[in-house]
Amino acid sequence: MTTINWEKEVDSRKDQLMKDLDDLLRIDSVKDLANKSDEFPVGPGPTKALQKFLEFGERDGFVTKNIENVAGHIEFGDGDETFGILGHVDVVPVGDGWETDPFVPVIKDGKLYARGSSDDKGPVMAAYYGLKIIKELGLPVSKKVRFIVGADEESGWYCMDRYRASETMPDFGFSPDAQFPIINGEKGIASYILSFPDVPKKDGDYVLEEMNSGIAANMVPGDATVKVTVKNGDINEMKAAFEKYIADNKLGGEAQIDGQVITIKLVGKQAHAQNPKAGINSATHLCNFLSDYAFDGKDAAYINNTAKFLHDDYQGKKVGIDHVDETMGELTSSPNMFRYGLGDEPTILTNVRFPKGSGVDKIVEQVKAHVTEAHVEAAPGAQDPHYTPVTDPMVKTFLDTYEKYTGEKGVEKTIGGGTYARLFERGCAYGALFPGREDVMHQANEYMYVEDIYKAAVIYADAIYQLIK
């Protein structure tokens, strides 16, 4: 039997891999519903990134298919079973704090900086080259292989709804959209929305004219802005108190006064909602500061309930939703979207990642019992927990391959993130973030080590071939 030197095969393709990845990263593929059309269902950028990936497949001799410009696949091989790889080419919004242009890839100190470098364009191209090598070597396969790519993974999964409406999903597979050694468990994902339509009017010394914070349901808000009218109070004292608050809490921000109106911006730190402890929630901090002031009725309900029930509570203990599963771990809670005085009913959206034993209906009822002033409802699009046992032969192959190239023990793990792996009956997420590396997905100055991209491609090539040969 011929032994394939996968490291040598990847090494001979490094320049082309990096060129293709550079082309993909230069496409601003943030969801853009303001410019959506029949041609661009979730905006021009995500569709262009999808088309670019399919162009790579056509160039390299794969069979390709585009599903309504929001999803597509490349495939080769034949067999009774289909092995699947599921990735995405859309990215989260950029946000503040970038030191380079997020869509002009830059390599510094061995790190490739760009939005999407680690989530998920870098890992997608590593997995693609693993598959491309198998095809180019003409190795015999016993299964059909399908690499599916979506263009709306970060917000709603409309891409996979459309894909599954017309295509049969593979029998088993993985998503290169998380961490090594493996993610074989994913918590359920849900969001609940608080509003305060029934709070009686009550005059106060301060009026909350506007509050705006959060750019995505699955991101800890990195900055928050409020506009406050001071009817009866010392506006300069408020400004000084805010400056002391951000200094005491090691936060950023500024306050500007215009007559009796003060505009306050507080700067925290963005992070993925699956790990809210990694961020600093600017919105809850700002409400925590404002809760010391006597606001009008609905303003006070919005501010004070946020400070009381949502600030500095990553497990949802204050609203009674905390829960721990022995295998999947603890529930996490992250209030991420705040809108007040911007046209619609003021709302707060909190994103929850829950293990087995909890659920959407249970979460809503528990929150209602605690936040009694609020109207509570579940946001659409909730997903149940997903788990593929460590005894599954596919999981074992992935762990063994990881051990082969790293010398480190492969162990199972559950995360709060939601990957496409949960769309497989037998599915897991596999790479491409290596242990010990900083997780900068969804953050400013996102990057991935160049050597990790190549190493992931080696692992993917070997593991995929073992599962399809």
Side-chain angles (χ1 to χ4, degrees):
M1 183 176 68
T2 302
T3 300
I4 309 298
N5 186 332
W6 300 106
E7 292 167 309
K8 179 180 177 182
E9 296 297 337
V10 169
D11 188 66
S12 68
R13 295 167 174 82
K14 282 182 177 179
D15 291 345
Q16 185 62 51
L17 192 168
M18 199 53 59
K19 170 63 168 61
D20 288 347
L21 177 55
D22 185 271
D23 288 347
L24 194 59
L25 289 169
R26 288 178 181 273
I27 300 171
D28 178 348
S29 53
V30 175
K31 187 173 185 175
D32 181 12
L33 294 183
N35 292 295
K36 73 174 184 177
S37 63
D38 291 342
E39 183 181 5
F40 305 124
V42 291
T47 293
K48 290 176 181 178
L50 169 66
Q51 292 171 341
K52 176 60 69 174
F53 179 82
L54 296 178
E55 285 177 18
F56 297 152
E58 292 173 1
R59 176 198 68 195
D60 296 330
F62 290 94
V63 175
T64 67
K65 189 170 185 178
N66 184 328
I67 309 298
E68 301 177 16
N69 269 340
V70 291
H73 68 239
I74 65 168
E75 66 179 22
F76 87 111
D78 199 12
D80 295 333
E81 284 189 298
T82 300
F83 175 76
I85 306 166
L86 262 171
H88 68 91
V89 290
D90 61 308
V91 296
V92 295
V94 169
D96 296 329
W98 282 81
E99 297 174 5
T100 61
D101 187 325
F103 298 108
V104 178
V106 174
I107 296 175
K108 296 190 299 181
D109 301 322
K111 303 171 185 177
L112 175 61
Y113 288 87
R115 177 57 94 211
S117 56
S118 62
D119 182 19
D120 184 35
K121 294 176 180 178
V124 158
M125 292 310 298
Y128 174 74
Y129 265 74
L131 189 61
K132 170 181 162 75
I133 289 168
I134 295 168
K135 181 179 180 300
E136 289 181 347
L137 294 179
L139 300 175
V141 300
S142 63
K143 298 174 180 65
K144 180 181 288 185
V145 188
R146 180 176 291 179
F147 198 140
I148 306 167
V149 169
D152 185 34
E153 190 270 354
E154 296 290 4
S155 178
W157 289 26
Y158 173 74
C159 50
M160 287 299 106
D161 291 341
R162 300 314 308 148
Y163 186 87
R164 290 188 292 167
S166 64
E167 300 294 318
T168 301
M169 288 296 292
D171 298 288
F172 67 115
F174 78 99
S175 177
D177 191 21
Q179 306 162 17
F180 286 121
I182 203 165
I183 303 297
N184 59 317
E186 297 184 9
K187 296 175 187 176
I189 303 175
S191 294
Y192 67 86
I193 299 171
L194 299 180
S195 59
F196 302 88
D198 302 321
V199 175
K201 180 174 176 57
K202 177 184 175 183
D203 287 335
D205 297 330
Y206 299 82
V207 178
L208 179 62
E209 305 290 356
E210 292 180 5
M211 179 168 182
N212 189 17
S213 182
I215 56 177
N218 59 357
M219 293 177 69
V220 176
D223 61 78
T225 303
V226 295
K227 184 179 292 185
V228 174
T229 296
V230 179
K231 296 192 297 184
N232 183 24
D234 188 334
I235 197 168
N236 291 298
E237 183 278 335
M238 189 180 204
K239 182 176 186 290
F242 173 72
E243 291 169 348
K244 182 178 186 303
Y245 182 89
I246 61 175
D248 289 346
N249 289 279
K250 297 181 173 58
L251 302 167
E254 62 178 357
Q256 296 181 343
I257 295 173
D258 184 6
Q260 290 306 112
V261 177
I262 182 169
T263 300
I264 301 173
K265 180 177 181 179
L266 188 148
V267 179
K269 180 184 178 183
Q270 287 181 356
H272 197 298
Q274 68 173 303
N275 184 20
K277 288 183 181 179
I280 300 173
N281 195 306
S282 58
T284 66
H285 261 292
L286 190 46
C287 287
N288 189 52
F289 165 72
L290 295 173
S291 66
D292 286 338
Y293 295 85
F295 278 84
D296 283 353
K298 186 179 287 191
D299 304 354
Y302 191 92
I303 292 167
N304 296 341
N305 279 283
T306 297
K308 180 179 179 181
F309 292 109
L310 302 178
H311 179 58
D312 198 24
D313 180 19
Y314 307 114
Q315 294 84 35
K317 292 181 179 179
K318 295 178 182 178
V319 291
I321 64 175
D322 52 310
H323 173 71
V324 179
D325 175 78
E326 184 177 352
T327 301
M328 303 191 76
E330 68 179 8
L331 176 150
T332 61
S333 176
S334 183
N336 295 336
M337 299 284 285
F338 292 75
R339 299 290 185 267
Y340 196 101
L342 299 171
D344 297 324
E345 174 68 25
T347 57
I348 303 164
L349 181 145
T350 298
N351 189 251
V352 180
R353 310 297 170 109
F354 60 93
K356 295 179 292 183
S358 186
V360 181
D361 293 340
K362 183 177 181 180
I363 288 168
V364 169
E365 290 307 311
Q366 289 167 324
V367 175
K368 283 181 179 179
H370 287 74
V371 193
T372 55
E373 281 191 296
H375 174 74
V376 187
E377 63 179 325
Q383 301 176 6
D384 293 329
H386 171 78
Y387 182 71
T388 302
V390 71
T391 53
D392 186 290
M394 175 185 66
V395 175
K396 187 176 186 308
T397 296
F398 284 144
L399 291 177
D400 289 348
T401 308
Y402 170 81
E403 292 179 5
K404 175 181 175 181
Y405 289 100
T406 65
E408 299 173 357
K409 179 66 177 174
V411 294
E412 67 174 327
K413 184 178 180 180
T414 292
I415 61 168
T419 76
Y420 282 152
R422 65 176 65 223
L423 298 178
F424 297 115
E425 185 173 340
R426 295 171 54 214
C428 58
Y430 190 46
L433 182 67
F434 285 91
R437 296 301 202 195
E438 181 184 17
D439 184 352
V440 290
M441 299 180 194
H442 293 207
Q443 296 184 29
N445 303 308
E446 176 184 350
Y447 69 85
M448 186 168 179
Y449 279 94
V450 173
E451 66 178 289
D452 288 358
I453 297 172
Y454 300 143
K455 189 173 185 178
V458 172
I459 293 173
Y460 288 143
D462 195 340
I464 292 169
Y465 187 57
Q466 290 184 60
L467 291 165
I468 67 174
K469 66 181 179 181

